[in-house]
Amino acid sequence: MPTRSPTTDLFFTAFAHSSVGMALISLQGHWIEVNPALCRIIGYTRDELLALTFQEITHPDDLDGDLTLLNKVLANEIDFYNLEKRYRHASGRIIWGLLTVTLSRDAGGNPECLIGQMIDITEHKKAVEDRDAFFTLSPDLLAITGTDGYLLQVNPAWTDALGWTQDELSSRPFIDFVHPDDVAATLAEAGRIYRGGVARGFRNRYRHARGGYRWLEWSTRALNNGLMYCSVRDVTTQIENEERLRSQEQKIRLLIENANDAFLGMNERGIITEWNKQAELTFGWSAQEAIGQPMVELLTPQRMRRQHLDGVQAFLRHGQLASPRKRVEVPALRKDGSEILVEITVGALPFDGELYFHAFLRDVSEQRRMSEQLHHRATHDFLTGLPNRYEFMGRLQRAIEAASRQPPRPLVLLFIDLDGFKAVNDICGHEMGDAVLIEFGRRLGQSVRRTDQVARLAGDEFVVLLDHVANAELDAEGVCSKILGAAGRPYPQLAGRTEVGASIGVALYQPADSADTLLSRADAAMYVAKNAGKNRVAFLRDGLWVVRAGGR
């Protein structure tokens, strides 16, 4: 171990109080010293760890990789290494840690011991796994591309649609799969997106593994990390149908009888002239009832009829549809008076000296409901119903971007950790713990303004984002006082067996803060409040910590 000195005393003080797991390890892997944070993360006491080696609690599948890097450090091939690896927790479960290892040398330059630092990334890994699950299950073709022109990641829907394996798709530049006639337009569109544009509805042809091409419709956005995120749909059938519809009237009628979507045609006065079987099933009116009726009175909700009629008149004047050959979603009426959401594609053709409008309509009410439900599940905490960490960090970043514009405005982040929550789980059980989290989440929402953002990050950690505040410090103190009062009120579920409170860290947005930086400062302030005795609020003022007890 390093010889004690004023410098090393500072090291050991930081070592003992760090929220990051830290350890001194012998060159053979025995624990020499560990800090409380590491014991808390891994679940072992200090004495238990000192009786073990790091090899004994490392997941077997990760041990070889760890030892390989360690040997490179000992051989002076590298100065340090970082590694994501799994550990066996004292409870038997597996946790993930982000490990950093460096080598300490004595005054003579000889290896003395290893210094290890570990951050618990178990929740992060789980969040990534959940995101990948949604990515994999999507029926749409989802992809992430890099600046080098390669598809970095694709979901299984690509194989279903185009026949190529995921490895085949990512092993060559994506432009190699594009129809030669579409290459120039595709490259131009990609360049426009990388310059900050957004692609919605861009179409090109992609080569199928069995030969031929499929039409794809792209919705694409590039982020600051240099990656493009793509949502793609196979629209080959739609395009082929549109081409057939434009070819001749006989093919239109053939499509009407065999289309899976509802189809209607109408003249330029808005009178329905065509109504297929799927339209009968979708809307409830028979062809005999529908044909000859004004479409706007049959299908368009009352509140939207003026807008529809104005759009038709504008087209008749200017000869241009608002959204030619583009799918849009609009509400539509059924015969029984109920409303459904339909995806509609509208076109217009000259026929017998006047314009003929045709439309395919698909009931997407259930699809929209499921999509919204999936989105809510992906972005909200299943227990409290509050936005989760992923959703909140996006909102926080958007708030920071807005706050940084001229004129700048104050932005305050509160990081809240429940005091005594572990005792709730230990004494009353995890079911009661969940009930307390739900109740606190409800109280938290009632303690802030409707314009404030409330979220649950993980466990008993919550955050509140105060935006549009007149006096950042004063308003934050008022909200914190309400939250501490709400957190400290008795919880009927606990029947007085234990008490719960809260510690709050406050961070004021500073120019150039990122979302992660602001969150980290609020987190650090929370620990200052908790270490000062709990049921307190802590914040920085002129470089000094200010701690105030609840009720003040």
Side-chain angles (χ1 to χ4, degrees), residues 187-198:
L187 291 175
E189 186 70 4
R192 188 183 68 82
I193 295 168
Y194 274 123
R195 291 190 297 272
V198 176

Side-chain angles (χ1 to χ4, degrees), residues 92-104:
R93 62 188 174 90
I94 299 300
I95 64 170
W96 279 92
L98 176 59
L99 175 67
T100 300
V101 175
T102 57
L103 182 63
S104 175

